[in-house]
Structure formats: structure tokens, C-alpha cells
Amino acid sequence: MFKKLAASPLFIAVILAVVLLLWLLSGDKFRARQAAPAEQQAPTAQLALVETRWSEAEPYQLTRVAQGQLLPWRSVSIKSQQAGTVTAILKQQGDSVQQGDKLLQLSDEGRSALLAQAKANLSLKQSELASARTLSQSKFLSDTELSRLQSELARAEAELESARLALMQTTPVAPFHGVVDRRHIEVGDVVQTGTELMQLVQIEQLKVTAQIPQQHVAALTPGQQVNVQLLDGRTLSGELSFISYAADIATRSFYIEVTVANPERLRLAGGSATVSVELTPVQAHLVSPALLSLDNHGKLGIAVVDEQQQVVFYPVDILTADNDGARVSGLPARAQIITQGAGFVKPGDTVRVAEAKR
């Protein structure tokens, strides 16, 4: 039976197929042992993709705003320099006065008599000294006596000047042209030295005072144009006339004064106002506040792509911010700003750029 099966062609074919299969398998294992596996290719690194948009800098009129107060250009309280009774009021509240105009009259209180006495005493001392000089030339008067008479003459001159000044001070005068703003006395009032009599103001031009933060004072220059907005909406034009050289210790702000013309004598002094100082125009970009970020040093800035397709971080200063966006300075005049993907790249990285969708 077995001999018949071994002689069968089918049996022979099966045996040959098994032998061939074993030979093929043994050849693959041998080659695997002799040859090292082929080196696998590393995947190609992909550059980060960012979206950008071009931004052009435009001139922007920068202003500094502060709350201020309108004051008279000059204001003085006229006080009594002599004691006495008010006998006449020569200028009333609201009256315009010129420099040197008499404002009121105080009682004489014997000052005229003292002045006359001082004049007579001076005349006597002058006569005595003239006679003494004649005698001195003839050696009939000592030098000591001549010196005494000269001293008495000098004292008489001082007494005359004092009496003349005391009488003049019974009629106070305006130290500058202006308006009588307040009157504090009536006819018949008894006043003492230092009593307030009237308030005199000069309002043909006004002085606006304000405080500017220390970080903004470097941009100010005397002579700059200033807009002064009143509470009722009116706007006046002025000129920056003074900037203090030292900051207030408590507020760290600098005191400024603005000169404003007021030829119509509008009643503005003492009121509040908003001061807007126009600075030199600067080149600024209008950007979304969402594009602002902080670098490793905490500096605020914006990431852009340069001509070599590399990321550059530019520190910026925010000039203004409103509903339209933030205006910033510090970027190149024309900048390719990263609008998407800035958080996945760092300065110096080379990136692929896609134009941001409008």
C-alpha cells in the first residue's frame, strides 16, 4: 500500500512543495542574519504656520490731559497799613481801576500835623548845620559838634519820610490795573493795621494751573499750544507758560501754568477746566489689544515677522486705547504683525506665513 502511495505523482508533488518551502524560509532567515535592516527616514520637520497682516504707521496727534483750575492773572488782597476810620470809599465792587488809582480814604488821625512838624524840624536842622559849617571853617566849632548836627539832620529827614509815608498810606492805591472784586469794609468802619479792605483781580488774561504726571512731563515744552475746555463745553486756546522744575513730593506730579487770553473779561476765574496739551505728532499703529503680549522680562510688545521670515518681538508703548483699538508706538513704519499663532512661536523662529483673512 505504502509503495503504491509513494509511487503516486500527487504524493511526490506534495513532498517537493514542502522541501521547496523549507528552503525558501531558511534563505530569508539567513539573509536577515547577514544584512542589517534598512535605515528608516526621519520625518521632515514642518515650520510653524502663522497668520499675519501688514500695518502701516500713521501720524497721530498725541495729547496729555489733566484737570486744572482757572485763576486770575493777578489777585491781591489790599490790606490796611495804618489804623483809622474809613471816611470814604472811592472804588466800588466791579469798578475797573488803573495802577495808582485811589481806592478809599482813612481818617487823618493827626498824621498831617506830624508831617508839618517833621518838615519844620528838618528845616531847623538844615539851618543849624549850615551855621555850624561856617563856624567850623573859622575853627570856632569842633568836629564832634559838627558830626552831631549832621546826625540830627539825618534823623529829621527820616522822620519826615516816615510822616509822609504814614499820611500816604491812609489812601490805599491799586498796585496794578484790574477790577475790584470784593469790598470788605464800609464807611465808618474802624480798621487796624493788616485789616483786609478790598480784593483786586486782573482778568484780561487768565492763568490755568494743573498737575502733570512725572512720566509725561518730559514731552512738555513752554510755548506749546493748549486747549482749555470749560465745564459748559466752551473751549479756550492758551499757551503753556511754565513747568515746575521739581515734582510735588506727595503726588510725584509737576505743576504747570497755561496763559489764556480773556479780553472780554468773562467770569471764568475760579472755575475748573480740562487742560489738553498737544504734543509733537508721532508715528503710531492701530492694532487690536489682543495682539499685545509680554516677553520674558515683562515688557509689553507685539510679535512681527521680518524680511527673513523670522519672528521679532518689538516692545511698544500704548498711546491711546478706545473702541477702535489701541494706538501704539515702537514698531517699524511698515510691520507684518502676527495675528494668529504668536503664542506657539518665539523670537528668532523661522515661520511660514499665511495672509490673515479680512
Side-chain angles (χ1 to χ4, degrees):
M1 181 71 181
F2 177 77
K3 292 181 178 180
K4 292 181 179 180
L5 182 62
S8 172
L10 180 62
F11 179 78
I12 295 172
V14 170
I15 294 299
L16 291 176
V18 172
V19 172
L20 179 62
L21 178 62
L22 291 175
W23 180 79
L24 290 175
L25 291 174
S26 64
D28 288 341
K29 290 182 179 180
F30 179 78
R31 284 194 300 271
R33 287 195 298 268
Q34 295 297 322
E39 182 179 357
Q40 296 182 353
Q41 295 294 327
T44 304
Q46 294 292 325
L47 297 178
L49 177 65
V50 296
E51 289 189 359
T52 65
R53 73 170 180 84
W54 286 97
S55 176
E56 301 280 350
E58 296 180 351
Y60 178 70
Q61 181 63 64
L62 193 61
T63 60
R64 290 288 180 253
V65 179
Q67 290 302 120
Q69 184 177 13
L70 287 156
L71 300 174
W73 183 249
R74 290 179 179 175
S75 177
V76 65
S77 176
I78 307 297
K79 296 182 179 181
S80 176
Q81 295 177 287
Q82 297 291 333
T85 302
V86 179
T87 59
I89 297 177
L90 308 178
K91 295 294 182 180
Q92 300 295 330
Q93 291 182 154
D95 286 351
S96 297
V97 297
Q98 296 298 318
Q99 183 177 2
D101 285 355
K102 296 179 180 180
L103 302 176
L104 55 92
Q105 180 66 55
L106 297 179
S107 57
D108 186 274
E109 304 294 334
R111 295 181 181 89
S112 296
L114 291 175
L115 178 61
Q117 182 182 353
K119 288 181 179 179
N121 187 47
L122 177 62
S123 179
L124 174 62
K125 298 303 180 181
Q126 288 174 337
S127 178
E128 289 178 350
L129 182 60
S131 299
R133 284 173 176 168
T134 300
L135 293 175
S136 176
Q137 291 175 356
S138 302
K139 306 300 182 181
F140 291 114
L141 190 70
S142 65
D143 292 341
T144 301
E145 184 65 15
L146 182 62
S147 297
R148 183 185 66 79
L149 292 174
Q150 288 174 337
S151 176
E152 290 183 355
L153 176 61
R155 185 183 303 112
E157 290 174 343
E159 290 175 351
L160 176 61
E161 184 62 27
S162 178
R164 181 181 291 114
L165 181 61
L167 183 61
M168 181 182 67
Q169 288 174 342
T170 61
T171 310
V173 298
F176 52 80
H177 72 276
V179 178
V180 177
D181 194 52
R182 292 294 302 277
R183 174 169 57 82
H184 303 293
I185 42 84
E186 293 287 350
V187 173
D189 284 349
V190 177
V191 299
Q192 302 297 324
T193 302
T195 300
E196 291 189 8
L197 304 173
M198 293 181 175
Q199 186 76 21
L200 185 66
V201 296
Q202 189 178 78
I203 57 171
E204 284 83 0
Q205 65 180 9
L206 301 174
K207 177 170 52 181
V208 185
T209 63
Q211 298 286 337
I212 295 294
Q214 59 181 342
Q215 62 267 31
H216 297 160
V217 73
L220 303 182
T221 305
Q224 286 177 312
Q225 291 301 305
V226 179
N227 291 325
V228 179
Q229 187 172 10
L230 308 179
L231 293 181
D232 60 7
R234 287 180 294 174
T235 301
L236 304 177
S237 180
E239 182 179 291
L240 184 61
S241 54
F242 176 74
I243 307 169
S244 64
Y245 288 89
D248 183 270
I249 297 177
T251 63
R252 297 296 189 269
S253 58
F254 286 78
Y255 170 83
I256 65 169
E257 288 184 1
V258 177
T259 302
V260 178
N262 184 31
E264 299 178 2
R265 291 186 177 182
L266 300 176
R267 289 175 171 83
L268 303 175
S272 300
T274 301
V275 178
S276 300
V277 185
E278 294 186 355
L279 306 180
T280 304
V282 297
Q283 295 294 315
H285 290 261
L286 181 62
V287 300
S288 169
L291 300 181
L292 299 169
S293 61
L294 297 175
D295 64 6
N296 294 333
H297 303 287
K299 183 66 176 178
L300 190 68
I302 293 178
V304 305
V305 177
D306 64 10
E307 296 177 353
Q308 286 74 39
Q309 300 295 97
Q310 291 183 338
V311 178
V312 181
F313 184 87
Y314 283 95
V316 298
D317 293 318
I318 299 178
L319 305 178
T320 60
D322 51 33
N323 293 333
D324 296 330
R327 287 179 173 83
V328 300
S329 63
L331 294 177
R334 189 168 187 266
Q336 192 175 13
I337 299 175
I338 299 177
T339 58
Q340 293 288 340
F344 301 98
V345 295
K346 62 183 184 298
D349 287 352
T350 301
V351 295
R352 293 180 297 136
V353 175
E355 194 73 18
K357 298 178 180 180
R358 295 293 180 179

